[in-house]
Amino acid sequence: MSSSSLSKLPSNDRDDVAARLRESLLGAEFTADGLLELLGAPAYAALARSETVPALRATRGDSPLETLVRLFLLQQPAEYARVAAVLPVDECLESGWLTRAGDDEVAASVDVRPYGGPDGEDWFIVSDLGCAVGGAGGIGSHAEGVVLGVGGASTTLSGITVRTPAASALDLGTGSGIQALHATRHATRVVATDLNPRALHMTALTLALSGAGPAELQEGSLFEPVGEETYDLIVSNPPFVISPGARLTYRDGGMSGDDLCRTLVQEAGARLNEGGYAQVLANWQHVDGEEWTDRLRSWVPRGCDAWVVQREVQDITQYAELWLRDAGDHRTDPAEYAARYDAWLDEFEARKVRGVGFGWITLRKAPEGVEPSVTVEEWPHSVEQPLGDTVRAHFERLDYLRTHDDAALLGAHFKLAGEVVQEQVGLPGAEDPEHVVLRQHRGMRRATKVDTIGAGFAGVCDGTLSAGRILDAIAQLVGEDPVLLRDRTPAQIRMLVEQGFLEPAQV
């Protein structure tokens, strides 16, 4: 299917129609909370798996909300009279939100999906029919210009984004406008770019229907549309899939291997204002004879602190199968499917790729004259979203540790972070544990081993005593030389601060 065969998009020069449509949707409780109440948790969850039968069974009535769910989420035609009782149907037909489907029925031209904002806002994400992730038709469309809706990647990125006030924000590769929508809450100026003009149109519809402020929409690849402009925040959920060719615009970047993600990250540094953040979702190759951590370190632009978190690794067969299913290729002719599968494996083998990593990359433009810090780690464990404050705090701790040598750490005051617990690991009945683990129940939910001195130190940190005085007291309790204890403990204190177990206290 080509982009020309996609449904006609609604006009986005009729803000009054979008406003009236929004008012009608809210009046019918067509919201995230309203859907959950109507459908129930099982049917609501089934939609996220592209299974529509439970939702169809839950919307057999004729209430306004049931009508809207069947029309916009399940893409079922509805009687004109029934829709007219809920929406300004003639205006929606004229402006293209709805189309005629026979003599007395209308159908949606786009998927309109309720989306709850971080502070309870009632937003709506507009995407192509059947292409809201978890939507009625899944994402198995082969349209080159298809625009997806909300998915796991987009919600992950919105959750990890630092939400401090910004003069300017750039959503690079905006798609249906989810990141731009979030940015309108805390950025004075929002710019959204995409290579696909259809995506820019969808973004305009998403913003208008959500009642959000406008964004500057610019067409083009990577940073080409914005030239040398700089920003306080850059976010991107790019077409990061490593594939043989560029068959699907929403997925395939069109560059060899992971070059698109590398180029995006490397060029982002020059577009950041001092202290600004660039946050990107990415895939990267695991190549024979090369450490993946070294590969990612080479991507970090000069003058930027970086925090790279690898969340998952798939072998090349798992990876190829995932994205073949995503495109619906498993439903095609078996010979065609096998040929495409072979092409993926040929591409990987030619580059000696044995696996593909997925994760988050955060850059922060470091102050002039400061040696940047680059952290590359693997963390496949569960985390607590949203993580934006955790990301910001990570870089603030870097700044603190850069300006505090060991002597300064010993003179500083610390507090144990909230919801940190201690676990003792050892054989049942043993007098002493084999080791002690500190575990976070917030943010990254890290766990780290410490010795008994480190555990005792962390346990009494309440901001009242300096680190040095606490160590002197511990030395007296355990019969150690306080000078030697002061000499060997700062490295452990530094680690606990860096990982967020201890927080500097104001005195």
Side-chain angles (χ1 to χ4, degrees), residues 226-243:
V226 299
E228 302 302 316
E229 285 189 355
T230 57
Y231 300 87
D232 298 317
L233 175 67
I234 299 171
V235 290
S236 184
N237 177 19
F240 52 65
V241 177
I242 300 170
S243 63

Side-chain angles (χ1 to χ4, degrees), residues 72-73 75 108-113 125-132 135-136:
F72 285 118
L73 294 189
Q75 280 108 52
S109 64
V110 287
D111 185 295
V112 175
R113 186 157 299 257
I125 307 301
V126 183
S127 63
D128 273 312
L129 291 171
C131 294

Side-chain angles (χ1 to χ4, degrees), residues 38-60 69-70 74:
L38 170 68
L39 301 179
Y44 193 80
L47 273 181
R49 302 190 301 270
S50 299
E51 296 291 346
T52 60
V53 171
L56 286 167
R57 291 172 60 88
T59 55
R60 290 170 171 171
V69 171
R70 293 177 70 89
L74 305 179

Side-chain angles (χ1 to χ4, degrees), residues 170 172-173 193-197 200 218-227 236 238-239 249 252-255 260 263-264 267 271:
L170 170 64
L172 191 151
T193 70
D194 206 289
L195 182 64
N196 180 6
L200 297 176
Q218 301 188 32
E219 181 181 344
S221 177
L222 295 175
F223 291 99
E224 291 174 1
V226 299
S236 184
T249 304
D252 308 317
M255 295 187 183
L260 182 135
T263 301
L264 194 163
E267 293 184 356
R271 270 78 175 189

Side-chain angles (χ1 to χ4, degrees), residues 175-226:
S176 55
I178 300 162
Q179 310 308 324
L181 179 59
H182 279 276
T184 61
R185 296 178 61 251
H186 63 101
T188 304
R189 175 179 177 238
V190 177
V191 179
T193 70
D194 206 289
L195 182 64
N196 180 6
R198 187 178 183 84
L200 297 176
H201 196 108
M202 290 290 193
T203 293
L205 298 176
T206 289
L207 295 175
L209 195 58
S210 297
E216 299 175 26
L217 307 177
Q218 301 188 32
E219 181 181 344
S221 177
L222 295 175
F223 291 99
E224 291 174 1
V226 299

